[in-house]
Amino acid sequence: MVSTVFSDAGLRQHAWDTAATVVDPEIPVLTIADLGVLRDVAINDGQVEVEITPTYSGCPAMNMITLEIEMALEREGFRNTKVRTVLSPAWTTDWMSEDGRRKLREYGIAPPQAAGSRRALFGVQQVACPQCGSGDTEVLSEFGSTSCKALWRCKSCREPFDYFKCH
Amino acid sequence: MAVASITVSETPLVLYTLRRADDALILGHRLSEWCGHAPILEEDMALANMALDLLGQARELYSYAAEVEGKGNDEDKLAYLRDVRQYRNLLLLEQPNGDFARTMVRQLFYSAFADLYWRAMMKSSDATLAAIAAKSEKESDYHLRHSSEWIVRLGDGTEESHARAQTAVDDLWAFTGEMFEVDAGERALFNAGIAVDPAGLRSQWLDTVSGVVGEATLVLPSNDWMQQGGRDGRHSEHLGHLLSELQSMQRTFPGVAW
């Protein structure tokens, strides 16, 4: 009898669970699984192949995430792992898990609004303050400290906050 | 010593992809020149963010061009080791930043086009180009919103900002026609469903641009003479200077890596 740990399904699960612990270097409360960046883990001839997808075309965190996955797998005894970047289908904020959205909010970042509908050219958005929950907020800058964030301010509690851009 | 330029076998698909990659790289580089110089901190971040999006698009497109070519080139060689005449970007995108109004007008003209173009390219029969388009379209949409808001603010702002924005519109207008130009090689790609004919996007582009420009109390020039040549490697004098900065490290220390 083959123990589950050594079956491909067992290996795959173990590799997935390991890769899923890697966090986004810019938002360390979110794992790449929460984000939906971790796309697939496969076992081919005993080798682990991980597929990840970028959030934004130029996201500089991808190289670091790749390295972190390789190191995490190596610590668990996996050798010759391969991390591939896939582009299709394109990542959207809709892939972010509910758990991920909650963690973002608790961390002080307003999570992306669900269903990334196209906005009008001069459209108005409603984003709730992650600190006090008020909807009385305003955008300070469409571009924030990383590609995936915009800078907002709450007019109720006066705190500035990051908003994870709906994309 | 300086390293020599590579040669590229420009089949229609390689050339097509290179043209779009060069667009993204050159505009991305121009925007990155604002880093540390933008009028306010938020704009410094915005311009650097947009530059990063474009650099990401360029990397994906260069990697694909290299893969299609299959001659051992890669994204770095294509970006760093081609000479000015081998670059295929639109003349619009290599124009110097000038003042903030000029940078924003250039951004409006291009992102209004890129938004339509990438959205149409999402239906490309080429799976890689369709995937790159799906990411680029969302980014271009965001860039368009940003530049549109600025054009309105500048045009409908002070006398000074209005005059500067109008001068930029007048000066850059002659470079917009090139976005809609195609050659025989590209036409074959349209017929195969790989690429889209940009000529079909022109009226929608004009609607968007004239809407923003009108809202900004600016006017589009009536002169329809259009400059071209970038797609074939005939550039303005500005591109050589840009490339000498962009490529100096790789040309001086071939293969240097971080």
Side-chain angles (χ1 to χ4, degrees), chain B residues 82-158:
Chain B
R82 280 180 306 140
D83 218 336
V84 61
R85 291 298 301 265
Q86 294 173 286
Y87 262 77
R88 307 298 184 201
N89 58 282
L90 298 167
L91 296 172
L92 173 68
L93 307 178
E94 70 198 40
Q95 297 309 304
N97 287 336
D99 56 19
F100 188 68
R102 184 169 295 245
T103 292
M104 280 301 121
V105 169
R106 187 183 62 199
Q107 201 64 20
L108 171 71
F109 286 163
Y110 178 71
S111 53
F113 170 76
D115 183 43
L116 293 171
Y117 170 76
W118 289 122
R119 204 182 318 154
M121 279 297 285
M122 287 166 69
K123 299 197 186 81
S124 170
S125 61
D126 182 307
T128 306
L129 290 178
I132 294 171
K135 293 221 75 63
S136 306
E137 186 269 339
K138 293 177 183 179
E139 290 157 1
S140 305
D141 171 46
Y142 210 78
H143 300 180
L144 172 61
R145 235 153 41 91
H146 174 263
S147 53
S148 300
E149 284 171 4
W150 269 110
I151 294 305
V152 172
R153 203 172 304 173
L154 294 168
D156 197 17
T158 66

Side-chain angles (χ1 to χ4, degrees), chain B residues 210-226:
Chain B
S210 44
V212 173
V213 164
E215 176 95 19
T217 72
L218 299 165
V219 286
L220 291 179
S222 51
N223 180 4
D224 267 346
W225 181 84
M226 290 292 163

Side-chain angles (χ1 to χ4, degrees), chain A residues 6-157:
Chain A
F6 295 104
S7 73
D8 271 8
L11 270 181
R12 181 187 176 278
Q13 189 60 46
H14 186 44
W16 174 281
D17 292 344
T18 304
T21 61
V22 170
V23 296
D24 182 321
E26 297 286 357
I27 313 169
V29 287
L30 286 192
T31 67
I32 56 173
D34 291 331
L35 270 168
V37 161
L38 181 59
R39 186 69 68 80
D40 194 23
V41 175
I43 307 289
N44 282 331
D45 292 335
Q47 276 196 352
V48 186
E49 286 182 17
V50 180
E51 283 188 354
I52 55 175
T53 195
T55 53
Y56 286 74
S57 298
C59 180
M62 291 307 280
N63 288 348
M64 179 140 177
I65 289 172
T66 300
L67 192 68
E68 296 272 356
I69 293 171
E70 287 167 355
M71 283 176 7
L73 289 168
E74 182 138 351
R75 277 195 297 272
E76 289 298 311
F78 292 102
R79 294 285 177 268
N80 304 318
T81 55
K82 215 188 307 178
V83 180
R84 286 200 316 132
T85 300
V86 291
L87 297 176
S88 180
W91 179 88
T92 92
T93 39
D94 295 344
W95 293 5
M96 196 182 287
S97 66
E98 270 314 309
D99 204 31
R101 287 169 195 271
R102 181 185 50 79
K103 285 195 232 169
L104 261 187
R105 203 176 299 116
E106 286 168 8
Y107 189 59
I109 299 175
Q113 292 167 316
S117 59
R118 288 182 66 82
R119 284 159 301 185
L121 204 49
F122 302 106
V124 183
Q125 287 177 274
Q126 275 285 317
V127 176
C129 169
Q131 260 87 249
C132 72
S134 165
D136 189 16
T137 58
E138 63 181 353
V139 67
L140 286 178
S141 172
E142 298 269 15
F143 296 86
S145 54
T146 69
S147 321
C148 54
K149 285 179 279 183
L151 192 60
W152 283 61
R153 173 166 57 201
C154 177
K155 293 199 270 186
S156 207
C157 71

